[in-house]
Structure formats: structure tokens, C-alpha cells
Amino acid sequence: MSMPDHSDAPMNIAVLGAGAWGTGMALHLARRHVVHLWSREADVAATMQETGVNERYLPGVRLPESVVVHAGTAQMQDVADCGLVLVACPVVGLREQLSALRGLRQPVVWLCKGFEAARPGAPHGLLPHEVMVQVAPDLRAGVLSGPSFAQEVARSQPTAMVVASPYPDVCDTTVQAVHADMLRLYTSHDWIGVEVGGAVKNVMAIAAGVLDGLADHAAGKQGQAFPGLNARAALLTRGLAEMTRFGLALGAQASTFMGLSGMGDLVLTATGDLSRNRRVGLLLAQGLTVHQAVDTLGHVAEGVYCARTVLARAEALQIEMPITRCVVDLLDGRLSATEAARVLMERNVRAESDL
């Protein structure tokens, strides 16, 4: 898939979802385009319209005049004049939003990372593109993912991402709209691998946060062994293997997991202080319950919601995912943070090449 020549031609772009990531992407796009930013939360939309700042999700960053804020759920006719539609709602809201866009001719690209929870009567939860196939199979769509914190994108700090779609024109349009000096876009046709990487790295980031939290808690205590940087490196290495093993079973390409949406996003989310999923792990290591940890964040941490779905789907595929299993047991209260770390270290010896 070739990279098209970058064009400065402005267009109208819709960003559906005004959380931190949707707002951050809107700010980036507004430097060249007119952006229509939709918020399902009427109070958030009203505040942005009045003050020009998304105080709830991205405080301290002012929206330019080229961002037009709307309230509600965007329907197909609302975005018919936009050259590109970016869906930035959490995975839990993706089905409703894509249903509202059924029949749209313009490219639709989602930014969410995770699995939809299993619906009643369904054997397992779905990746975003599988949700689309069910509710809006006529869309020409793709996924935009990679190692990217909303705050840094909003402030024009250097970032690289990947847009993946089986439709070359979707990738081309997204690159023309989003690619800029401080945000470099690459293209892929492996949207399964890009989606799996974006979902599973959140689960791994919770595990990494637990290890870091245990280290912080035990540091300075005489005679007490605790995880350190060696343990984190081992966790991320095996986590990448676990992610790859799962992705291959779903039809992804192995090379995708060595790229931005695999290794890149895993390293960022598992080590970066802005990572919500890592912060959940840190709080669990302090002894908080999962509900207390999520309430403390005040934002969605997708790893909490998709870990069980990842594990259930892996079990159906007979794929071994020990780190994911430990995270689920921790979230469900069957293991403490210390017990989860010990379970992982006590696994049987095996050949490293056995993915």
C-alpha cells in the first residue's frame, strides 16, 4: 500500500466522541481543517461551546475557532458533508454510533481500542471491525491506532500512528487528512492485527502497572524481594508473544505486532505515566478494588472492560494467555496483586521459541 503525497487541502472532518482522545485529535486536525466535534454528554458540549475548553477530559487546552462543537449522537445526515468521519467513542458505544452511520459513503475510521463485551446469545465479544460487519457492513472503514497519548497529540508533540483498512482509499483519505509534521501516519491492510494490538496492550499495561506498584510499595523494606525493571522487561516481552499468539489465531499478520500498534503501543501504555490502564495496575497494587481504581481515574480504562472478553475468546480458540488470565483473576478478586505476580513467575520452564 503506497503512501500518498501529503496534501494541505482543507476539508470538513467529523470527530464523533469528545473524550480526551477525540478532543485531542480534533485539536490536531483543526490546525488545517474545519472539525465538527460531537459529544454525547450535553454538559460537556455546553461547557466547550461556552469556554472553548473540554475541562472534564482535556483541561487546559483551548479549542480553536475551527472546531465546531455539537451535542448528541451524530446521524448519517449530520456528517454527509464531511470528507472523513473519525469515531472516537469507547468500544461500548461503537455499535450504536456505527448503526447511526449506516449508508454513509465517506470513509469512517474508529480510534477506539478494545473488544465489545459478549452480547446475550453470542459466544464471545467482538473486535470493532466485527461490530461494523454486523451493524453497518456497507461502510468503507478502517482503524487508526498506535502509541499516542491524547495530551501529546493535542500539544503537537511528535507522534507516529498507523491507519489500517482493507480499502486503500480509506487509508489514503486518512493520511491526507491526519498526516502532519508532528503526526506521522503509516498504512496497513491488517486491521485485525492493529485492533488486537490496540486491545490486548491495555490488558498488559494493567499487569505492568501491578509490577511497578508492587516495586514502589516494597522499595526500602529490608529483606523483601520485589519486582523491578528486569521483571517489567520480562513481562512486556512475554506479553508481546501472548498478543501475537492471539492475533495470529484471529487471522492477523505476525509482522503487525512488531510495529506501531503492537510493540510501540505496548511499550507506551505499559510504561507511560499518562496511561490509564497502567494507573489501574498501580492502584490495584496499593490494595484498591477494581471499582475503586476506576472511580479514582474518572475516565474509561479499556483494559478493565475487555480483559475478560480477550480471555474468553482465547479459551475458545485454545490459545494460552497466562498474563491475561492473571489480570482477569486479579480484576475478579481471585488473586491479590502479590499472588498474581508470583503465579506468573512460577510458570513451568519452556522453550522461548514456543509461541
Side-chain angles (χ1 to χ4, degrees):
M1 189 175 295
S2 62
M3 177 76 74
D5 292 335
H6 174 52
S7 172
D8 289 325
M11 67 172 71
N12 289 324
I13 299 176
V15 178
L16 312 184
W21 189 215
T23 305
M25 182 57 68
L27 281 158
H28 165 74
L29 293 169
R31 297 182 181 101
R32 287 196 294 121
H33 308 290
V34 174
V35 180
H36 294 269
L37 177 61
W38 291 80
S39 173
R40 295 182 59 182
E41 298 171 279
D43 58 333
V44 173
T47 298
M48 286 192 291
Q49 289 167 343
E50 181 179 350
T51 68
V53 178
N54 189 338
E55 289 291 351
R56 182 175 300 176
Y57 296 110
L58 201 64
V61 185
R62 182 165 295 278
L63 298 169
E65 293 183 358
S66 51
V67 175
V68 183
V69 177
H70 307 267
T73 299
Q75 304 297 313
M76 189 266 285
Q77 61 271 20
D78 296 322
V79 298
D81 293 332
C82 294
L84 176 66
V85 177
L86 300 179
V87 180
C89 64
V91 173
V92 68
L94 185 65
R95 178 175 293 266
E96 178 185 356
Q97 184 59 82
L98 292 183
S99 296
L101 299 178
R102 187 184 298 116
L104 188 70
R105 293 184 177 182
Q106 289 84 347
V108 175
V109 176
W110 44 83
L111 311 179
C112 51
K113 301 175 181 180
F115 276 79
E116 182 187 59
R119 296 170 62 81
H124 51 68
L126 302 178
L127 285 164
H129 80 275
E130 295 171 323
V131 175
M132 185 214 72
V133 169
Q134 285 193 353
V135 301
D138 56 339
L139 291 179
R140 299 184 70 79
V143 54
L144 179 61
S145 191
S148 49
F149 287 138
Q151 295 91 329
E152 294 196 1
V153 170
R155 295 174 181 136
S156 293
Q157 293 178 256
T159 303
M161 301 181 68
V162 58
V163 56
S165 174
Y167 305 106
D169 63 298
V170 171
C171 291
D172 291 347
T173 300
T174 306
V175 169
Q176 290 166 4
V178 179
H179 185 85
D181 291 341
M182 291 294 108
L183 203 168
R184 181 170 182 82
L185 245 59
Y186 294 83
T187 62
S188 170
H189 61 267
D190 181 19
W191 62 353
I192 298 175
V194 169
E195 288 184 339
V196 169
V200 179
K201 60 89 182 180
N202 286 328
V203 182
M204 301 302 156
I206 294 175
V210 169
L211 290 188
D212 289 345
L214 290 173
D216 292 341
H217 181 70
K221 294 186 178 180
Q222 294 295 327
Q224 182 170 335
F226 57 90
L229 299 179
N230 293 348
R232 183 207 282 173
L235 174 76
L236 297 187
T237 303
R238 299 319 303 161
L240 181 61
E242 189 167 305
M243 179 192 303
T244 304
R245 187 164 60 240
F246 181 53
L248 292 177
L250 290 172
Q253 297 179 346
S255 59
T256 300
F257 299 99
M258 299 304 295
L260 291 166
S261 62
M263 180 185 294
D265 212 356
L266 174 62
V267 170
L268 179 74
T269 310
T271 65
D273 290 337
L274 294 175
S275 166
R276 294 193 291 269
N277 291 282
R278 179 175 180 269
R279 285 163 60 195
V280 168
L282 291 170
L283 293 169
L284 292 174
Q286 294 175 17
L288 273 67
T289 67
V290 63
H291 298 293
Q292 291 170 331
V294 172
D295 288 345
T296 298
L297 291 182
H299 293 256
V300 173
E302 288 285 7
V304 173
Y305 302 105
C306 80
R308 299 173 187 85
T309 301
V310 170
L311 181 61
R313 193 146 183 188
E315 289 176 337
L317 293 166
Q318 297 185 323
I319 301 300
E320 189 177 8
M321 300 189 73
I323 301 173
T324 301
R325 181 177 297 280
C326 269
V327 170
V328 171
D329 286 343
L330 178 60
L331 295 175
D332 289 345
R334 290 186 291 272
L335 290 176
S336 68
T338 302
E339 290 168 340
R342 186 174 63 248
V343 166
L344 288 174
M345 293 306 297
E346 290 177 349
R347 283 178 51 77
N348 293 333
V349 174
R350 60 189 299 179
E352 185 182 32
S353 59
D354 292 340
L355 285 179

